[in-house]
Amino acid sequence: MSDGLGWPVIAVLSVGIYAERAAGMFVLGPALRSERAMRVLAAVPVAVIAAVVALQTFTVGDRLAVDARVPGVVAAALAVWGRAPLAVAVVLAAVVTATVRALGWAA
Amino acid sequence: MTGHQHQYEQDGAEQREAPAGSDAHPAPAPTAPAERPLVARADVLTFAATYFVVGVTVALICTTAGMAPWLVAVAAVTMYSATSQLALVAVITSGGATLAGLASALLVSARFGVLAAAIAPRLRRGAVRRGVAAHMVVDPSVALALAQPDDDAAEWVFWRVGINLGVAWLIGVVVGVVVGPHIGDPHRYGLDAVFPASLVAILAASLRAGGRIMLAVALVAGAITLTLTPLVPAGIPVLAAVLASGLVLASPTPVGAGR
């Protein structure tokens, strides 16, 4: 087993990640109370989630990649756009991605 | 979820004037029965199922990379960040130094600090309560809570979604550690598309409530992320994408439900 994946690393990360969350909750959040700051903060989840979607759909490690996830996520987006239930969209994403892979159309 | 979102767009004014104190089931829309939840049970269950799947996948990847199974489960609780755990494993298995792995994981999780700051004003006071809330900060719990029209509703949705996802994620990780070796490659079942697909659904709800300016925020954030990903260490692209939320200042009127 690599040292990089041992318990000391996990311990440091656990403390570090909690510190990040607590800093937002107890320091950054209370400090940003102006009307403008509140408006920007309300948009932060949209920016963060869009960024994570982009990463999880179009990247592998540190490079861009278009693979079978793309048609799956696009199918889910279309389903959501058509006001399909969340469960339908998520299952559709997995089915489309798995199918495209099984057919060998994309990695 | 989307149905309720729609309702709030129409009934936002009445919602805000509704009596406070019904924090378990905040004031429903006039046409809805009193016990109607703010985020549909089916949606919460689907998000939970998604986090279960993510848990199984992360457990598989971590154990395959050589992390001790017990440690994978402990990390799931104490780190509570699938993306951060994956970032660590990605750096270490590609031969990176331990310090690089630490830095990468902490950069990836830094977005939770920004999300915690976003939800902080909507939560009740109390250091212990907020201390626990900080650990429950994940992308869906904050996004769905912030979309609620009043603070009581936001708080209730935050805890309900957060606890459900946390439990589902942990069960997923434990299942992944135990039965992982028998599942095979999770990619074969398209499971890597499940997480982004569920986030797209959250995004759609926010975009419907926020209009064009929120769509611009989302598109610019995605573009920043993809542009920077090949150029800078993991985690930084998402942090840079947070800057896109500043675009709302270009909009003349406040956007987003409840603000």
Side-chain angles (χ1 to χ4, degrees):
Chain A
M1 176 174 97
S2 163
D3 283 353
L5 298 175
W7 70 265
V9 171
I10 299 302
V12 169
L13 282 179
S14 300
V15 173
I17 293 171
Y18 185 75
E20 289 173 334
R21 285 179 162 123
M25 182 69 68
F26 292 106
V27 182
L28 191 59
L32 300 172
R33 300 309 291 267
S34 75
E35 193 266 336
R36 286 164 63 87
M38 299 290 271
R39 277 168 64 191
V40 174
L41 279 181
V44 162
V46 172
V48 169
I49 289 177
V52 174
V53 167
L55 278 184
Q56 297 279 332
T57 308
F58 296 106
T59 72
V60 175
D62 62 354
R63 61 185 179 80
L64 304 183
V66 175
D67 58 25
R69 290 170 300 174
V70 177
V73 175
V74 168
L78 290 175
V80 167
W81 191 45
R83 298 191 182 261
L86 175 64
V88 172
V90 169
V91 170
L92 189 64
V95 169
V96 170
T97 297
T99 304
V100 168
R101 268 195 196 121
L103 294 173
W105 291 352
Chain B
M1 175 181 58
T2 50
H4 297 291
Q5 216 70 46
H6 191 61
Q7 221 159 45
Y8 277 124
E9 282 165 38
Q10 297 168 342
D11 304 329
E14 286 103 317
Q15 282 299 318
R16 237 156 295 162
E17 288 158 17
S22 53
D23 56 303
H25 299 287
T31 52
E35 70 276 14
R36 186 158 190 176
L38 293 162
V39 175
R41 176 186 293 262
D43 288 340
V44 175
L45 287 178
T46 309
F47 279 120
T50 301
Y51 267 60
F52 172 84
V53 166
V54 172
V56 172
T57 310
V58 168
L60 283 176
I61 292 171
C62 289
T63 48
T64 306
M67 198 187 291
W70 67 269
L71 190 57
V72 176
V74 169
V77 176
T78 58
M79 288 172 63
Y80 192 19
S81 171
T83 46
S84 187
Q85 223 167 317
L86 290 178
L88 171 71
V89 170
V91 172
I92 300 300
T93 53
S94 62
T98 300
L99 210 57
L102 280 172
S104 183
L106 285 172
L107 281 171
V108 166
S109 57
R111 74 178 192 277
F112 292 132
V114 186
L115 289 173
I119 192 66
R122 307 291 296 271
L123 298 180
R124 248 169 276 154
R125 302 278 147 202
V128 174
R129 194 183 172 91
R130 283 171 166 259
V132 177
H135 196 61
M136 306 299 292
V137 165
V138 284
D139 312 80
S141 64
V142 172
L144 295 174
L146 281 180
Q148 302 304 320
D150 62 73
D151 289 353
D152 277 346
E155 171 124 26
W156 188 75
V157 167
F158 175 79
W159 285 103
R160 178 157 183 240
V161 174
I163 290 169
N164 273 282
L165 296 194
V167 170
W169 148 252
L170 178 60
I171 294 173
V173 168
V174 170
V175 168
V177 163
V178 174
V179 308
H182 311 289
I183 295 181
D185 183 6
H187 289 196
R188 213 175 78 203
Y189 309 109
L191 297 186
D192 48 341
V194 162
F195 184 48
S198 73
L199 292 181
V200 163
I202 297 175
L203 211 49
S206 300
L207 295 186
R208 285 205 179 99
R212 279 171 191 276
I213 193 72
M214 282 297 183
L215 181 61
V217 168
L219 291 176
V220 171
I224 291 174
T225 306
L226 295 181
T227 306
L228 291 182
T229 293
L231 307 175
V232 298
I236 292 178
V238 175
L239 287 183
V242 170
L243 294 175
S245 52
L247 286 174
V248 294
L249 294 179
S251 165
T253 49
V255 290
R259 281 288 137 201

